[in-house]
Amino acid sequence: MAATIGDVARAAGVSRSTVSYALSGKRMISDETRERIQAAIDELGFTPNAGARALATAQTNVLGLYLQFQEDEFAPAMLQYVLPVSTTAREHGFDLLMVTDTDLVGAVTRTTSSYMVDGVVLLDVTYDDVRLEPLRRASQPAVLIGYARDAEGFDSFDLDFGEAARLAIDHLADLGHRDIILMTPPEHVVARGGSYVWRFRDAAVERAARYGIHLTAHYGDSRQPGIRESLDAAFAASPAATALIVHNDATIAALPSYLNDRGLRSPDDLSVVGVFSREFGQTFSLPYTAVETSPDRLGQLAVQQLIRRIADPAEAGVPVVRLIEPSLTDRGSTGPAA
Amino acid sequence: MAATIGDVARAAGVSRSTVSYALSGKRMISDETRERIQAAIDELGFTPNAGARALATAQTNVLGLYLQFQEDEFAPAMLQYVLPVSTTAREHGFDLLMVTDTDLVGAVTRTTSSYMVDGVVLLDVTYDDVRLEPLRRASQPAVLIGYARDAEGFDSFDLDFGEAARLAIDHLADLGHRDIILMTPPEHVVARGGSYVWRFRDAAVERAARYGIHLTAHYGDSRQPGIRESLDAAFAASPAATALIVHNDATIAALPSYLNDRGLRSPDDLSVVGVFSREFGQTFSLPYTAVETSPDRLGQLAVQQLIRRIADPAEAGVPVVRLIEPSLTDRGSTGPAA
DNA sequence: CTGAAAGCGCTTACAG
DNA sequence: CTGAAAGCGCTTACAG
């Protein structure tokens, strides 16, 4: 039904190989021939068949994006990574197969071993991510957005959460705060292997100790009333706290309302530092100074590296674990300790 | 490198066609042969090559999911549709190509005319959606989630927003409310062709008039401080209003905080009815009675219909525009008019 | 119950 | 500067 390269060749009075080369530019074609071919293509509305091309070249121009939607997590946070990954992929001529199967291992195996994708982007990587094992058997390269215990053989990109914590603590220490509350992601995120929880927390604890700062860490929640209750508990345990660090998407999104309920204003009554992206802050109109998580930058770097590796596995060199440097954006929610 | 059907055939001592038929079950294979083939498959770790299969069968088992991320819209709302579409597709053996190009027409043309997908799911459909034109030229079937002026030739699924409005008005009328504020989606959504804005609003206005209810509709915003300002303006314009209908995701997500700021409690000071999904309400812990938008149901119905049409274009019959019946979930945020 | 062969629509050495 | 032919890895009539 649809025109094939043979139809174009016939209409232009050339061979199929000539049409193919005209399309790919892989060899010189006379102007006259090229024009005849182009006219035939336009007239017939020809587009190369992706399956046939994939079979002939062993390349699909599709990347797999693997993500998990967890019932008990704050879904909007994941979305920030999807768009930059998709955009960067398209800039390099790749489409995106979005895989959300709950059978994580099966999904990776199925899509890689059938050669549906040229490369793999893993989102929401956990410390002992079960997807890494099937990925090692795969012949396609993979990139992780996140941090795994044994990322040997894979490129990994993540925020430097240790440095993020030090930035937050330094900022508050400079302002004279000596009693700080840290709200972390929920405990089940730790159980699942969300390493950013303890990487941030441990670094914060250590840095605070160095300043002689009293820091207490509490698990936050991702749903009400848990969000509110965990904050209540944290404030009750540290009545003299003058600053709050929130490393928890659902909690920071709910914080304006919570502080209002308690009649607290930042920075006058309480200094607040969040950990979230510019996009997230904008979506939820968050008025807080924050350590930026830069999902757009991570997504872009990850996809670029993956595509480099697809294009030239040898050239791309040894796999790297790259922790990108966070920065702090001051939105005026911190001030001198009371 | 990877095993092909020829390798399996050789190892099992049968022909390639026999392996193929054993895989598809399209003809009888003796138990003994089948076992030898299965053993060879297991040993070699064989998985059929998706590109080769697509070329031979003219079927990719991939659906295209086309969505637009608008800078000025509340992104989390879109996510609710993605998961049910993905889940339903997988239940029927289809994977999902997620297409987010800003060049909407080009993206549809590119992916359909190269036969990357067997069918198309259009999300975030506008009244004069530019994607419909390239879709008419495509040979694959398509389904719209949303409502277009001329959906001729396509299956469409959307909530019955007219009925949704009537449900909300009836509910409040029964409770004796006679002065109601309606916050609609932002004005730019109307400009873009988001028909749900006026379908809901017009039906609400008409229904209210029938009861002799004073209803004033205001455009809400999707970002602060616009969200707050539009609510302020609405309350200023209707100081005697006893009820609020919110048909705006960003506004309803911000409402708990806003009402708190103003010292208003629902249902005592103000009855509140939202228009949002169960999932959305859960993510944002919204304590409001709401007309459910059922994105999971819409996504599932849409994909099922699309797959039916792919499987048997003739059997599936004439394209339908199906508006699903909303229902109201009482969460106790409405009460008798003061 | 099974096999040999053609065909799906491309790309790319090989030849000239 | 261009063509004829092989090959990518499947599926499916056609034959027996």
Side-chain angles (χ1 to χ4, degrees):
Chain A
M1 54 194 324
T4 73
I5 200 170
D7 299 327
V8 173
R10 198 173 316 116
V14 297
S15 72
R16 297 189 302 155
S17 54
T18 299
V19 176
S20 178
Y21 283 118
L23 245 34
S24 69
K26 288 191 180 172
R27 79 179 179 195
M28 294 281 76
I29 307 283
S30 72
D31 286 356
E32 200 229 308
T33 304
R34 193 205 327 286
E35 280 159 23
R36 281 217 314 283
I37 291 174
Q38 190 55 55
I41 288 175
D42 293 343
E43 196 195 350
L44 297 171
F46 168 72
T47 309
N49 180 293
R53 184 172 266 180
L55 182 56
T57 62
Q59 164 130 22
T60 62
N61 283 306
V62 172
L63 303 181
L65 176 65
Y66 301 75
L67 27 87
Q68 334 183 22
F69 288 91
Q70 314 277 178
E71 248 317 308
D72 53 3
E73 274 183 30
F74 194 62
M78 164 150 308
L79 205 58
Q80 317 165 251
Y81 290 89
V82 175
L83 192 56
V85 165
S86 172
T87 303
T88 309
R90 281 302 306 142
E91 284 168 4
H92 295 266
F94 284 81
D95 275 291
L96 225 52
L97 195 77
M98 192 186 63
V99 185
T100 65
D101 300 36
T102 49
D103 172 10
L104 304 175
V105 172
V108 168
T109 304
R110 177 172 61 79
T111 50
T112 55
S113 64
S114 64
Y115 293 90
M116 297 184 77
V117 299
D118 294 335
V120 161
V121 179
L122 239 50
L123 237 50
D124 209 8
V125 171
T126 60
Y127 199 52
D128 289 297
D129 204 298
V130 295
R131 297 171 294 184
L132 299 190
E133 200 242 28
L135 268 184
R136 290 186 205 284
R137 308 185 196 293
S139 59
Q140 296 94 332
V143 63
L144 320 187
I145 299 183
Y147 190 86
R149 181 205 302 269
D150 177 17
E152 182 75 37
F154 303 110
D155 294 304
S156 301
F157 292 84
D158 200 5
L159 190 74
D160 186 339
F161 280 97
E163 190 57 26
R166 290 186 284 274
L167 272 183
I169 297 288
D170 287 356
H171 179 74
L172 293 172
D174 286 352
L175 291 166
H177 295 274
R178 288 295 171 267
D179 194 344
I180 303 176
I181 293 170
L182 165 62
M183 299 306 298
T184 76
E187 189 162 14
H188 62 248
V189 173
V190 179
R192 192 177 289 141
S195 67
Y196 52 95
V197 180
W198 65 81
R199 286 191 285 145
F200 188 97
R201 185 188 51 204
D202 294 354
V205 166
E206 189 190 319
R207 191 69 153 202
R210 185 196 287 200
Y211 286 111
I213 287 175
H214 182 233
L215 176 83
T216 47
H218 297 259
Y219 291 116
D221 206 337
S222 53
R223 294 272 187 277
Q224 295 291 15
I227 296 173
R228 189 183 321 269
E229 290 166 0
S230 58
L231 283 163
D232 284 345
F235 281 112
S238 305
T242 58
L244 173 67
I245 298 175
V246 179
H247 177 212
N248 181 312
D249 294 319
T251 299
I252 197 79
L255 198 65
S257 162
Y258 178 82
L259 292 184
N260 209 297
D261 285 3
R262 289 188 65 115
L264 294 173
R265 303 165 152 275
S266 73
D268 296 347
D269 307 316
L270 185 75
S271 284
V272 175
V273 177
V275 183
F276 54 83
S277 72
R278 202 187 48 71
E279 298 79 8
F280 190 86
Q282 200 174 308
T283 298
F284 294 101
S285 312
L286 301 179
Y288 304 119
T289 292
V291 180
E292 306 263 345
T293 56
S294 308
D296 46 359
R297 185 127 174 278
L298 282 167
Q300 185 182 29
L301 286 173
V303 172
Q304 283 172 344
Q305 173 67 8
L306 179 61
I307 287 172
R308 211 172 297 135
R309 211 168 272 289
I310 289 169
D312 196 339
E315 261 317 296
V318 179
V320 293
V321 173
R322 169 109 185 265
L323 298 182
I324 76 167
E325 206 68 14
S327 66
L328 187 138
T329 299
D330 195 330
R331 296 195 179 85
S333 65
T334 58
Chain B
M1 55 194 321
T4 71
I5 200 171
D7 299 328
V8 174
R10 198 172 317 116
V14 298
S15 72
R16 298 189 301 154
S17 55
T18 300
V19 177
S20 178
Y21 284 118
L23 246 33
S24 67
K26 288 191 180 172
R27 76 178 183 195
M28 294 279 79
I29 307 283
S30 72
D31 286 355
E32 198 229 311
T33 303
R34 193 205 327 287
E35 278 159 24
R36 281 218 315 284
I37 291 175
Q38 190 54 54
I41 287 176
D42 293 343
E43 196 195 349
L44 296 171
F46 168 72
T47 309
N49 179 293
R53 183 171 267 181
L55 183 56
T57 61
Q59 164 130 21
T60 62
N61 283 308
V62 173
L63 303 181
L65 177 65
Y66 300 75
L67 27 87
Q68 335 183 23
F69 287 93
Q70 314 278 177
E71 247 318 307
D72 52 3
E73 275 183 28
F74 194 63
M78 165 152 306
L79 205 58
Q80 317 164 252
Y81 291 89
V82 175
L83 193 57
V85 166
S86 172
T87 303
T88 309
R90 283 301 307 141
E91 284 168 4
H92 295 265
F94 284 81
D95 275 291
L96 225 53
L97 194 77
M98 193 186 60
V99 185
T100 66
D101 300 36
T102 49
D103 172 11
L104 305 174
V105 172
V108 167
T109 304
R110 177 171 62 78
T111 50
T112 55
S113 63
S114 64
Y115 293 90
M116 298 183 76
V117 299
D118 294 336
V120 161
V121 179
L122 240 49
L123 237 51
D124 209 11
V125 171
T126 60
Y127 199 51
D128 289 297
D129 204 297
V130 296
R131 299 171 294 185
L132 299 190
E133 200 243 28
L135 267 183
R136 290 186 204 285
R137 310 186 194 293
S139 58
Q140 295 93 333
V143 64
L144 321 188
I145 299 182
Y147 190 86
R149 182 204 302 270
D150 177 17
E152 182 75 38
F154 303 110
D155 293 304
S156 302
F157 293 84
D158 200 5
L159 191 74
D160 186 338
F161 280 96
E163 190 57 28
R166 290 186 283 274
L167 272 184
I169 296 288
D170 286 356
H171 180 73
L172 292 171
D174 285 353
L175 291 165
H177 295 274
R178 288 296 172 265
D179 193 344
I180 303 176
I181 293 171
L182 165 62
M183 299 306 297
T184 76
E187 189 162 14
H188 61 249
V189 173
V190 180
R192 192 177 290 141
S195 67
Y196 52 95
V197 180
W198 66 80
R199 286 191 285 145
F200 188 96
R201 186 188 50 204
D202 294 354
V205 166
E206 188 189 321
R207 191 67 153 205
R210 186 197 287 200
Y211 286 111
I213 287 175
H214 182 230
L215 176 82
T216 47
H218 296 259
Y219 290 116
D221 205 337
S222 54
R223 294 272 187 276
Q224 295 291 15
I227 296 171
R228 190 183 321 271
E229 290 166 359
S230 58
L231 283 163
D232 283 345
F235 282 112
S238 306
T242 58
L244 173 68
I245 299 175
V246 180
H247 177 212
N248 180 313
D249 294 320
T251 299
I252 197 78
L255 198 66
S257 162
Y258 177 83
L259 292 184
N260 210 296
D261 286 4
R262 288 189 67 116
L264 294 173
R265 303 166 153 274
S266 72
D268 296 347
D269 307 314
L270 185 75
S271 284
V272 175
V273 177
V275 183
F276 54 83
S277 72
R278 202 188 46 73
E279 299 79 7
F280 189 86
Q282 199 174 309
T283 298
F284 293 101
S285 313
L286 301 179
Y288 304 119
T289 291
V291 180
E292 305 263 346
T293 56
S294 309
D296 46 356
R297 185 125 175 279
L298 282 168
Q300 186 182 27
L301 286 172
V303 171
Q304 283 172 344
Q305 173 67 9
L306 179 61
I307 287 172
R308 212 172 296 134
R309 211 167 273 289
I310 290 170
D312 197 337
E315 261 318 295
V318 179
V320 292
V321 174
R322 167 109 185 265
L323 298 181
I324 74 168
E325 207 68 15
S327 66
L328 188 137
T329 300
D330 195 329
R331 294 193 180 85
S333 64
T334 57

